[in-house]
Amino acid sequence: MRFPSLSGPGLRNRSKGERTLRVRAWPIWSVITLFAAVPAIAQSPSPAYERLGREILKELIETNTTHSTGSVTAAADLMAARLIAAGFPKADVEVLGGVEKKRNLVARYRGKGTRKPILFIAHLDVVEARREDWSFDPFVLTEKEGYYYGRGTLDVKGGAATLVAAFVRLRQEQWVPDRDLILALTADEEGGPDNGVAWLLANRRDLIDAEYCINVDTGGGELRGGKLTAIDVQAAEKVYASFTLTVKNAGGHSSLPTKDNAIYRLSAGLQRLAVFEFPVRLNDTTRAYFDRMAASASAGTSAADMRAVAKDPPNRAAAARLSVKSPFYNALLRTTCVATQLQAGHAENALPQTAQATVNCRLLPDESPAAVQRTLERILADAQIAVAPIGTPTLSPPSPLAPEVFKAIEIAARAVWSSAPATAQDSAGVPIVPFMETGATDGLLLRNAGIPVYGVTGIAYDPDDVRAHGKDERILVRSFNEGLEFAYQIAKALAGPSAAAR
């Protein structure tokens, strides 16, 4: 969720005509102006629905689904039992996969079949967490001072819980959608060899084939100073690509040092890389993001700079100021490459024979990995530093900005955040903003399989307090409750009787 993850390549593509049969790529500016900003006063779901959501979240957090010692299958079985207890036929709730502890839940909510199904996804696996590193047990749901703490609360068991709760509530209400809704809760998004989306595409695509996908592992509300300032909809994501930089040397005894030292040579190259910046380059999604965010940014430099970079061509001075202001803005504006690992030498009393660094890059969607490798070689400016790719990057084509999807998000958001503005600032509303994920999600796999993906969740978070993958991961209780209502409302907006007319 909003963070790097390893995903496997090798998925088959649909033809362009098949990809755009229903989801048309409208001109970007007409899409943006179609959707009004939403107000920012939250409406809470019923106490009974909040309790249901908390119970599901507790079950998920307290089921260890780490790669080393956990079981995704155990969590999938628990969620399957809840759906069956709510009235889903057993034939429509399957737990399946290629590895015993890495099985995936796929559930189908049957509708009238007037349109192609919609897929909702979240992953059940989480990154490792050690008790000694946390203030609380990471595998116990802890509520304190308005927050839920636990591994996966943000990434992304909180989102998974909102989807399961919404499917349960809709079934209990005996609601009949005009199309099938598919829920897939999967394994190994965070890494590992058994990625659930990849397995389903390769082995049971029929279970998850859909017109498009809603992915709660990305996007959603941005909280700034406790206020909802934007609702991000991920329609594109950067491409994950890593390279090794290696220097070889004959080495020797440390008592007889030479000027040609593998560690020094590699370090000098890394220093040149450290000060290098890839050129600023925007696409339709990032240009729309900065244009819409300018309306809600505080008056002054930030708003003006956002408008300036949204122009074609972007203003370079404004881009430089935004890059300094925020690592997130910097990542939206360009391809990035950063050294993440180092290893060198074989003994403390020997000159190093090998020095190696790992450099992780996040490429703009249309950037060529080969071109990035050539850029690295040019910046390192040393023929003795060998640059080699790690694996084969999987490109990620952007999804078309479909008016149907954005309109449904607006309807759901208005149902969650009430229509009465509390302040002059709120009266301007909260923009619904297409954005490009700077990390990677399972949406990459689906987009490459010809299924457009839109990342959005109702669990708003503060971008300056992101603890996923780290100590004391948490979400606001208030945000989780809003996320419960949002998941329910967006399912109805996308598949209700009036949705087809939009």
Side-chain angles (χ1 to χ4, degrees), residues 119-123 156 159-160 163 182-186 189 197 200 208 213-218 441-444 446 453-454 456:
L119 173 65
F120 294 81
I121 65 168
H123 61 87
V156 67
L163 293 178
I182 305 166
L183 173 62
L185 305 180
T186 62
E189 191 272 351
V197 172
L200 288 164
I208 61 170
C213 170
I214 302 296
N215 181 10
V216 298
D217 193 25
T218 181
T441 72
D442 278 339
L444 168 75
L446 293 165
V453 180
Y454 304 94
V456 65

PDB file of all heavy atoms in Angstrom, residues 119-123 156 159-160 163 182-186 189 197 200 208 213-218 441-444 446 453-454 456:
ATOM      1  N   LEU A 119     -14.186  -6.008  -9.734  1.00  0.00           N
ATOM      2  CA  LEU A 119     -13.316  -6.704  -8.796  1.00  0.00           C
ATOM      3  C   LEU A 119     -12.849  -5.746  -7.708  1.00  0.00           C
ATOM      4  O   LEU A 119     -12.459  -4.613  -7.994  1.00  0.00           O
ATOM      5  CB  LEU A 119     -12.100  -7.265  -9.545  1.00  0.00           C
ATOM      6  CG  LEU A 119     -10.974  -7.888  -8.722  1.00  0.00           C
ATOM      7  CD1 LEU A 119     -11.451  -9.145  -8.010  1.00  0.00           C
ATOM      8  CD2 LEU A 119      -9.780  -8.204  -9.632  1.00  0.00           C
ATOM      9  N   PHE A 120     -12.898  -6.192  -6.452  1.00  0.00           N
ATOM     10  CA  PHE A 120     -12.357  -5.451  -5.316  1.00  0.00           C
ATOM     11  C   PHE A 120     -11.205  -6.279  -4.741  1.00  0.00           C
ATOM     12  O   PHE A 120     -11.383  -7.475  -4.473  1.00  0.00           O
ATOM     13  CB  PHE A 120     -13.408  -5.235  -4.230  1.00  0.00           C
ATOM     14  CG  PHE A 120     -14.553  -4.345  -4.632  1.00  0.00           C
ATOM     15  CD1 PHE A 120     -15.609  -4.843  -5.384  1.00  0.00           C
ATOM     16  CD2 PHE A 120     -14.569  -3.012  -4.258  1.00  0.00           C
ATOM     17  CE1 PHE A 120     -16.664  -4.026  -5.755  1.00  0.00           C
ATOM     18  CE2 PHE A 120     -15.625  -2.179  -4.622  1.00  0.00           C
ATOM     19  CZ  PHE A 120     -16.674  -2.695  -5.379  1.00  0.00           C
ATOM     20  N   ILE A 121     -10.045  -5.651  -4.524  1.00  0.00           N
ATOM     21  CA  ILE A 121      -8.917  -6.427  -4.008  1.00  0.00           C
ATOM     22  C   ILE A 121      -8.260  -5.765  -2.802  1.00  0.00           C
ATOM     23  O   ILE A 121      -8.299  -4.549  -2.627  1.00  0.00           O
ATOM     24  CB  ILE A 121      -7.824  -6.677  -5.080  1.00  0.00           C
ATOM     25  CG1 ILE A 121      -7.160  -5.366  -5.519  1.00  0.00           C
ATOM     26  CG2 ILE A 121      -8.371  -7.450  -6.259  1.00  0.00           C
ATOM     27  CD1 ILE A 121      -5.897  -5.573  -6.347  1.00  0.00           C
ATOM     28  N   ALA A 122      -7.668  -6.631  -1.975  1.00  0.00           N
ATOM     29  CA  ALA A 122      -6.768  -6.234  -0.887  1.00  0.00           C
ATOM     30  C   ALA A 122      -5.887  -7.440  -0.619  1.00  0.00           C
ATOM     31  O   ALA A 122      -6.281  -8.577  -0.904  1.00  0.00           O
ATOM     32  CB  ALA A 122      -7.542  -5.845   0.368  1.00  0.00           C
ATOM     33  N   HIS A 123      -4.709  -7.229  -0.076  1.00  0.00           N
ATOM     34  CA  HIS A 123      -3.864  -8.373   0.255  1.00  0.00           C
ATOM     35  C   HIS A 123      -3.923  -8.642   1.754  1.00  0.00           C
ATOM     36  O   HIS A 123      -4.120  -7.734   2.570  1.00  0.00           O
ATOM     37  CB  HIS A 123      -2.422  -8.171  -0.219  1.00  0.00           C
ATOM     38  CG  HIS A 123      -1.704  -7.003   0.385  1.00  0.00           C
ATOM     39  ND1 HIS A 123      -1.021  -7.080   1.585  1.00  0.00           N
ATOM     40  CD2 HIS A 123      -1.539  -5.729  -0.045  1.00  0.00           C
ATOM     41  CE1 HIS A 123      -0.466  -5.915   1.857  1.00  0.00           C
ATOM     42  NE2 HIS A 123      -0.764  -5.072   0.894  1.00  0.00           N
ATOM     43  N   VAL A 156      -2.582  -3.975   4.678  1.00  0.00           N
ATOM     44  CA  VAL A 156      -3.772  -3.266   4.306  1.00  0.00           C
ATOM     45  C   VAL A 156      -4.977  -4.025   4.856  1.00  0.00           C
ATOM     46  O   VAL A 156      -6.006  -4.122   4.241  1.00  0.00           O
ATOM     47  CB  VAL A 156      -3.853  -3.059   2.765  1.00  0.00           C
ATOM     48  CG1 VAL A 156      -4.041  -4.388   2.044  1.00  0.00           C
ATOM     49  CG2 VAL A 156      -4.950  -2.093   2.382  1.00  0.00           C
ATOM     50  N   GLY A 159      -8.150  -2.014   5.155  1.00  0.00           N
ATOM     51  CA  GLY A 159      -8.927  -1.968   3.911  1.00  0.00           C
ATOM     52  C   GLY A 159      -9.643  -3.273   3.629  1.00  0.00           C
ATOM     53  O   GLY A 159     -10.797  -3.289   3.188  1.00  0.00           O
ATOM     54  N   ALA A 160      -8.972  -4.400   3.877  1.00  0.00           N
ATOM     55  CA  ALA A 160      -9.612  -5.700   3.673  1.00  0.00           C
ATOM     56  C   ALA A 160     -10.835  -5.852   4.569  1.00  0.00           C
ATOM     57  O   ALA A 160     -11.882  -6.363   4.138  1.00  0.00           O
ATOM     58  CB  ALA A 160      -8.610  -6.822   3.949  1.00  0.00           C
ATOM     59  N   LEU A 163     -13.879  -4.074   3.190  1.00  0.00           N
ATOM     60  CA  LEU A 163     -14.512  -4.780   2.068  1.00  0.00           C
ATOM     61  C   LEU A 163     -15.346  -5.957   2.552  1.00  0.00           C
ATOM     62  O   LEU A 163     -16.483  -6.155   2.101  1.00  0.00           O
ATOM     63  CB  LEU A 163     -13.447  -5.260   1.083  1.00  0.00           C
ATOM     64  CG  LEU A 163     -12.676  -4.181   0.319  1.00  0.00           C
ATOM     65  CD1 LEU A 163     -11.627  -4.822  -0.583  1.00  0.00           C
ATOM     66  CD2 LEU A 163     -13.615  -3.302  -0.505  1.00  0.00           C
ATOM     67  N   ILE A 182     -16.938  -8.956  -7.162  1.00  0.00           N
ATOM     68  CA  ILE A 182     -15.968  -9.995  -6.801  1.00  0.00           C
ATOM     69  C   ILE A 182     -15.023  -9.437  -5.756  1.00  0.00           C
ATOM     70  O   ILE A 182     -14.485  -8.336  -5.905  1.00  0.00           O
ATOM     71  CB  ILE A 182     -15.161 -10.457  -8.027  1.00  0.00           C
ATOM     72  CG1 ILE A 182     -16.091 -10.911  -9.154  1.00  0.00           C
ATOM     73  CG2 ILE A 182     -14.193 -11.568  -7.650  1.00  0.00           C
ATOM     74  CD1 ILE A 182     -15.388 -11.067 -10.495  1.00  0.00           C
ATOM     75  N   LEU A 183     -14.829 -10.188  -4.689  1.00  0.00           N
ATOM     76  CA  LEU A 183     -13.877  -9.824  -3.643  1.00  0.00           C
ATOM     77  C   LEU A 183     -12.713 -10.809  -3.673  1.00  0.00           C
ATOM     78  O   LEU A 183     -12.919 -12.023  -3.603  1.00  0.00           O
ATOM     79  CB  LEU A 183     -14.551  -9.882  -2.268  1.00  0.00           C
ATOM     80  CG  LEU A 183     -13.638  -9.697  -1.047  1.00  0.00           C
ATOM     81  CD1 LEU A 183     -12.985  -8.322  -1.055  1.00  0.00           C
ATOM     82  CD2 LEU A 183     -14.421  -9.921   0.242  1.00  0.00           C
ATOM     83  N   ALA A 184     -11.481 -10.290  -3.796  1.00  0.00           N
ATOM     84  CA  ALA A 184     -10.289 -11.130  -3.763  1.00  0.00           C
ATOM     85  C   ALA A 184      -9.342 -10.613  -2.692  1.00  0.00           C
ATOM     86  O   ALA A 184      -8.900  -9.460  -2.751  1.00  0.00           O
ATOM     87  CB  ALA A 184      -9.596 -11.147  -5.122  1.00  0.00           C
ATOM     88  N   LEU A 185      -9.063 -11.454  -1.698  1.00  0.00           N
ATOM     89  CA  LEU A 185      -8.103 -11.151  -0.635  1.00  0.00           C
ATOM     90  C   LEU A 185      -6.936 -12.112  -0.827  1.00  0.00           C
ATOM     91  O   LEU A 185      -7.115 -13.330  -0.736  1.00  0.00           O
ATOM     92  CB  LEU A 185      -8.746 -11.312   0.743  1.00  0.00           C
ATOM     93  CG  LEU A 185     -10.019 -10.500   0.990  1.00  0.00           C
ATOM     94  CD1 LEU A 185     -10.557 -10.753   2.392  1.00  0.00           C
ATOM     95  CD2 LEU A 185      -9.777  -9.007   0.780  1.00  0.00           C
ATOM     96  N   THR A 186      -5.743 -11.583  -1.056  1.00  0.00           N
ATOM     97  CA  THR A 186      -4.684 -12.386  -1.648  1.00  0.00           C
ATOM     98  C   THR A 186      -3.395 -12.428  -0.832  1.00  0.00           C
ATOM     99  O   THR A 186      -3.230 -11.709   0.149  1.00  0.00           O
ATOM    100  CB  THR A 186      -4.373 -11.859  -3.059  1.00  0.00           C
ATOM    101  OG1 THR A 186      -3.917 -10.502  -2.958  1.00  0.00           O
ATOM    102  CG2 THR A 186      -5.611 -11.919  -3.948  1.00  0.00           C
ATOM    103  N   GLU A 189       1.623 -10.068  -1.620  1.00  0.00           N
ATOM    104  CA  GLU A 189       1.796  -8.761  -2.258  1.00  0.00           C
ATOM    105  C   GLU A 189       3.065  -8.095  -1.763  1.00  0.00           C
ATOM    106  O   GLU A 189       3.747  -7.388  -2.509  1.00  0.00           O
ATOM    107  CB  GLU A 189       0.579  -7.867  -1.980  1.00  0.00           C
ATOM    108  CG  GLU A 189       0.536  -6.576  -2.811  1.00  0.00           C
ATOM    109  CD  GLU A 189       1.270  -5.408  -2.175  1.00  0.00           C
ATOM    110  OE1 GLU A 189       1.687  -5.512  -0.997  1.00  0.00           O
ATOM    111  OE2 GLU A 189       1.438  -4.378  -2.854  1.00  0.00           O
ATOM    112  N   VAL A 197      -2.523 -12.589  -6.722  1.00  0.00           N
ATOM    113  CA  VAL A 197      -3.123 -12.065  -7.951  1.00  0.00           C
ATOM    114  C   VAL A 197      -2.488 -12.733  -9.165  1.00  0.00           C
ATOM    115  O   VAL A 197      -3.176 -13.114 -10.117  1.00  0.00           O
ATOM    116  CB  VAL A 197      -2.987 -10.535  -8.012  1.00  0.00           C
ATOM    117  CG1 VAL A 197      -3.426 -10.006  -9.373  1.00  0.00           C
ATOM    118  CG2 VAL A 197      -3.824  -9.880  -6.913  1.00  0.00           C
ATOM    119  N   LEU A 200      -3.894 -16.265  -9.449  1.00  0.00           N
ATOM    120  CA  LEU A 200      -5.272 -16.295  -9.937  1.00  0.00           C
ATOM    121  C   LEU A 200      -5.344 -15.971 -11.428  1.00  0.00           C
ATOM    122  O   LEU A 200      -6.102 -16.598 -12.176  1.00  0.00           O
ATOM    123  CB  LEU A 200      -6.122 -15.312  -9.137  1.00  0.00           C
ATOM    124  CG  LEU A 200      -6.435 -15.741  -7.699  1.00  0.00           C
ATOM    125  CD1 LEU A 200      -6.940 -14.564  -6.876  1.00  0.00           C
ATOM    126  CD2 LEU A 200      -7.452 -16.883  -7.685  1.00  0.00           C
ATOM    127  N   ILE A 208     -11.785 -13.935 -11.355  1.00  0.00           N
ATOM    128  CA  ILE A 208     -11.547 -12.514 -11.054  1.00  0.00           C
ATOM    129  C   ILE A 208     -11.655 -11.619 -12.280  1.00  0.00           C
ATOM    130  O   ILE A 208     -11.432 -10.405 -12.185  1.00  0.00           O
ATOM    131  CB  ILE A 208     -10.171 -12.299 -10.400  1.00  0.00           C
ATOM    132  CG1 ILE A 208      -9.042 -12.736 -11.325  1.00  0.00           C
ATOM    133  CG2 ILE A 208     -10.106 -13.029  -9.060  1.00  0.00           C
ATOM    134  CD1 ILE A 208      -7.663 -12.314 -10.833  1.00  0.00           C
ATOM    135  N   CYS A 213     -11.075  -2.865 -11.686  1.00  0.00           N
ATOM    136  CA  CYS A 213     -10.812  -3.254 -10.300  1.00  0.00           C
ATOM    137  C   CYS A 213     -10.736  -2.026  -9.411  1.00  0.00           C
ATOM    138  O   CYS A 213     -10.174  -0.995  -9.800  1.00  0.00           O
ATOM    139  CB  CYS A 213      -9.503  -4.038 -10.230  1.00  0.00           C
ATOM    140  SG  CYS A 213      -8.899  -4.352  -8.551  1.00  0.00           S
ATOM    141  N   ILE A 214     -11.262  -2.146  -8.186  1.00  0.00           N
ATOM    142  CA  ILE A 214     -11.064  -1.164  -7.131  1.00  0.00           C
ATOM    143  C   ILE A 214     -10.080  -1.772  -6.139  1.00  0.00           C
ATOM    144  O   ILE A 214     -10.338  -2.837  -5.569  1.00  0.00           O
ATOM    145  CB  ILE A 214     -12.385  -0.809  -6.416  1.00  0.00           C
ATOM    146  CG1 ILE A 214     -13.416  -0.259  -7.413  1.00  0.00           C
ATOM    147  CG2 ILE A 214     -12.126   0.179  -5.280  1.00  0.00           C
ATOM    148  CD1 ILE A 214     -13.019   1.042  -8.077  1.00  0.00           C
ATOM    149  N   ASN A 215      -8.959  -1.098  -5.942  1.00  0.00           N
ATOM    150  CA  ASN A 215      -7.890  -1.606  -5.083  1.00  0.00           C
ATOM    151  C   ASN A 215      -7.778  -0.713  -3.852  1.00  0.00           C
ATOM    152  O   ASN A 215      -7.407   0.464  -3.953  1.00  0.00           O
ATOM    153  CB  ASN A 215      -6.565  -1.601  -5.857  1.00  0.00           C
ATOM    154  CG  ASN A 215      -5.403  -2.135  -5.053  1.00  0.00           C
ATOM    155  OD1 ASN A 215      -5.575  -2.697  -3.967  1.00  0.00           O
ATOM    156  ND2 ASN A 215      -4.206  -1.973  -5.581  1.00  0.00           N
ATOM    157  N   VAL A 216      -8.083  -1.261  -2.656  1.00  0.00           N
ATOM    158  CA  VAL A 216      -8.048  -0.445  -1.437  1.00  0.00           C
ATOM    159  C   VAL A 216      -6.643  -0.354  -0.848  1.00  0.00           C
ATOM    160  O   VAL A 216      -6.455   0.215   0.228  1.00  0.00           O
ATOM    161  CB  VAL A 216      -9.024  -0.982  -0.370  1.00  0.00           C
ATOM    162  CG1 VAL A 216     -10.449  -0.938  -0.874  1.00  0.00           C
ATOM    163  CG2 VAL A 216      -8.637  -2.387   0.082  1.00  0.00           C
ATOM    164  N   ASP A 217      -5.653  -0.877  -1.569  1.00  0.00           N
ATOM    165  CA  ASP A 217      -4.275  -0.877  -1.092  1.00  0.00           C
ATOM    166  C   ASP A 217      -3.546   0.422  -1.439  1.00  0.00           C
ATOM    167  O   ASP A 217      -2.342   0.527  -1.245  1.00  0.00           O
ATOM    168  CB  ASP A 217      -3.527  -2.065  -1.713  1.00  0.00           C
ATOM    169  CG  ASP A 217      -2.192  -2.334  -1.052  1.00  0.00           C
ATOM    170  OD1 ASP A 217      -2.033  -1.966   0.122  1.00  0.00           O
ATOM    171  OD2 ASP A 217      -1.305  -2.906  -1.704  1.00  0.00           O
ATOM    172  N   THR A 218      -4.242   1.395  -1.945  1.00  0.00           N
ATOM    173  CA  THR A 218      -3.610   2.641  -2.360  1.00  0.00           C
ATOM    174  C   THR A 218      -4.685   3.710  -2.496  1.00  0.00           C
ATOM    175  O   THR A 218      -5.881   3.431  -2.441  1.00  0.00           O
ATOM    176  CB  THR A 218      -2.870   2.443  -3.691  1.00  0.00           C
ATOM    177  OG1 THR A 218      -2.242   3.668  -4.076  1.00  0.00           O
ATOM    178  CG2 THR A 218      -3.814   2.008  -4.795  1.00  0.00           C
ATOM    179  N   THR A 441       1.864  -1.769  -6.331  1.00  0.00           N
ATOM    180  CA  THR A 441       0.795  -2.587  -5.762  1.00  0.00           C
ATOM    181  C   THR A 441       0.488  -3.726  -6.724  1.00  0.00           C
ATOM    182  O   THR A 441       1.043  -3.804  -7.829  1.00  0.00           O
ATOM    183  CB  THR A 441      -0.495  -1.763  -5.548  1.00  0.00           C
ATOM    184  OG1 THR A 441      -1.095  -1.485  -6.838  1.00  0.00           O
ATOM    185  CG2 THR A 441      -0.213  -0.455  -4.828  1.00  0.00           C
ATOM    186  N   ASP A 442      -0.435  -4.582  -6.328  1.00  0.00           N
ATOM    187  CA  ASP A 442      -0.874  -5.658  -7.218  1.00  0.00           C
ATOM    188  C   ASP A 442      -1.655  -5.134  -8.417  1.00  0.00           C
ATOM    189  O   ASP A 442      -1.936  -5.887  -9.360  1.00  0.00           O
ATOM    190  CB  ASP A 442      -1.732  -6.668  -6.445  1.00  0.00           C
ATOM    191  CG  ASP A 442      -0.891  -7.679  -5.679  1.00  0.00           C
ATOM    192  OD1 ASP A 442       0.288  -7.864  -6.032  1.00  0.00           O
ATOM    193  OD2 ASP A 442      -1.409  -8.275  -4.713  1.00  0.00           O
ATOM    194  N   GLY A 443      -2.016  -3.852  -8.388  1.00  0.00           N
ATOM    195  CA  GLY A 443      -2.644  -3.262  -9.564  1.00  0.00           C
ATOM    196  C   GLY A 443      -1.777  -3.396 -10.799  1.00  0.00           C
ATOM    197  O   GLY A 443      -2.281  -3.478 -11.923  1.00  0.00           O
ATOM    198  N   LEU A 444      -0.471  -3.417 -10.602  1.00  0.00           N
ATOM    199  CA  LEU A 444       0.475  -3.612 -11.698  1.00  0.00           C
ATOM    200  C   LEU A 444       0.153  -4.868 -12.486  1.00  0.00           C
ATOM    201  O   LEU A 444       0.152  -4.878 -13.728  1.00  0.00           O
ATOM    202  CB  LEU A 444       1.886  -3.701 -11.122  1.00  0.00           C
ATOM    203  CG  LEU A 444       3.015  -4.186 -12.021  1.00  0.00           C
ATOM    204  CD1 LEU A 444       3.401  -3.094 -13.001  1.00  0.00           C
ATOM    205  CD2 LEU A 444       4.225  -4.591 -11.189  1.00  0.00           C
ATOM    206  N   LEU A 446      -2.712  -6.597 -12.615  1.00  0.00           N
ATOM    207  CA  LEU A 446      -4.012  -6.553 -13.273  1.00  0.00           C
ATOM    208  C   LEU A 446      -3.986  -5.642 -14.493  1.00  0.00           C
ATOM    209  O   LEU A 446      -4.573  -5.956 -15.530  1.00  0.00           O
ATOM    210  CB  LEU A 446      -5.075  -6.094 -12.275  1.00  0.00           C
ATOM    211  CG  LEU A 446      -5.348  -7.091 -11.142  1.00  0.00           C
ATOM    212  CD1 LEU A 446      -6.122  -6.419 -10.014  1.00  0.00           C
ATOM    213  CD2 LEU A 446      -6.118  -8.299 -11.669  1.00  0.00           C
ATOM    214  N   VAL A 453      -7.304  -0.535 -13.219  1.00  0.00           N
ATOM    215  CA  VAL A 453      -7.323  -0.533 -11.757  1.00  0.00           C
ATOM    216  C   VAL A 453      -7.407   0.900 -11.253  1.00  0.00           C
ATOM    217  O   VAL A 453      -6.699   1.788 -11.742  1.00  0.00           O
ATOM    218  CB  VAL A 453      -6.067  -1.216 -11.177  1.00  0.00           C
ATOM    219  CG1 VAL A 453      -6.113  -1.207  -9.647  1.00  0.00           C
ATOM    220  CG2 VAL A 453      -5.936  -2.641 -11.694  1.00  0.00           C
ATOM    221  N   TYR A 454      -8.257   1.098 -10.231  1.00  0.00           N
ATOM    222  CA  TYR A 454      -8.409   2.405  -9.584  1.00  0.00           C
ATOM    223  C   TYR A 454      -8.218   2.195  -8.090  1.00  0.00           C
ATOM    224  O   TYR A 454      -8.961   1.447  -7.459  1.00  0.00           O
ATOM    225  CB  TYR A 454      -9.784   3.002  -9.909  1.00  0.00           C
ATOM    226  CG  TYR A 454      -9.984   3.096 -11.394  1.00  0.00           C
ATOM    227  CD1 TYR A 454     -10.628   2.080 -12.101  1.00  0.00           C
ATOM    228  CD2 TYR A 454      -9.446   4.164 -12.117  1.00  0.00           C
ATOM    229  CE1 TYR A 454     -10.750   2.130 -13.478  1.00  0.00           C
ATOM    230  CE2 TYR A 454      -9.571   4.222 -13.505  1.00  0.00           C
ATOM    231  CZ  TYR A 454     -10.226   3.208 -14.176  1.00  0.00           C
ATOM    232  OH  TYR A 454     -10.326   3.249 -15.546  1.00  0.00           O
ATOM    233  N   VAL A 456      -8.375   3.285  -4.352  1.00  0.00           N
ATOM    234  CA  VAL A 456      -9.018   4.236  -3.454  1.00  0.00           C
ATOM    235  C   VAL A 456      -9.544   3.494  -2.231  1.00  0.00           C
ATOM    236  O   VAL A 456     -10.023   2.368  -2.337  1.00  0.00           O
ATOM    237  CB  VAL A 456     -10.163   4.996  -4.159  1.00  0.00           C
ATOM    238  CG1 VAL A 456     -11.310   4.059  -4.558  1.00  0.00           C
ATOM    239  CG2 VAL A 456     -10.668   6.156  -3.319  1.00  0.00           C
TER     240      VAL A 456
END
